[in-house]
């Protein structure tokens, strides 16, 4: 993981990483690096979502509750749909 991350960043890439949904101050490898951008989630009141990980290692927060997204049904290729989702992973692309 370290070699791939180093290579990507050396080529000018940016890594935005979901901070996690454990409601804890628990950074993982990418969060601890300092050269990746850690993204926490906010709720509709622009406060920290109750599930988001937090800490001084978080770089930015983004909306992460009640976000509408497309979803692919892997069991039925003809049945894609819209769904409401929560999480730092849904907030990170925002």
């Amino acid at each position: 993981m370290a070699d791939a991350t180093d290579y990507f960043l050396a080529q000018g890439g940016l890594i935005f990483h979901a901070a996690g949904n454990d409601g804890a101050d628990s950074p993982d490898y990418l969060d601890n690096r300092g050269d990746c951008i850690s993204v926490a989630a906010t709720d509709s009141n622009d406060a920290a979502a109750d599930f988001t990980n937090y800490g001084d290692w978080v770089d930015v927060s983004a909306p992460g509750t009640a976000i509408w997204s497309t979803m692919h049904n892997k069991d039925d290729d003809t049945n894609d749909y819209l769904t409401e989702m929560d999480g730092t992973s849904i907030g990170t692309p925002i």
Side-chain angles (χ1 to χ4, degrees):
M1 179 75 144
D3 289 343
T5 302
D6 291 341
Y7 177 80
F8 182 76
L9 293 171
Q11 302 308 307
L14 294 173
I15 296 176
F16 291 83
H17 180 256
N21 303 319
D22 302 316
D25 183 4
S26 55
D28 68 9
Y29 172 73
L30 289 176
D31 297 318
N32 275 319
R33 283 186 57 109
D35 52 3
C36 298
I37 300 163
S38 299
V39 184
T42 60
D43 63 19
S44 61
N45 295 314
D46 201 29
D50 62 356
F51 55 80
T52 194
N53 284 3
Y54 57 87
D56 60 4
W57 49 272
V58 170
D59 298 298
V60 66
S61 297
T65 60
I67 306 298
W68 285 94
S69 181
T70 55
M71 184 66 96
H72 176 69
N73 184 341
K74 67 178 179 62
D75 297 321
D76 179 3
D77 287 339
T78 63
N79 190 17
D80 293 341
Y81 56 96
L82 292 175
T83 189
E84 194 174 281
M85 302 173 74
D86 297 337
T88 58
S89 293
I90 197 69
T92 297
I94 294 172

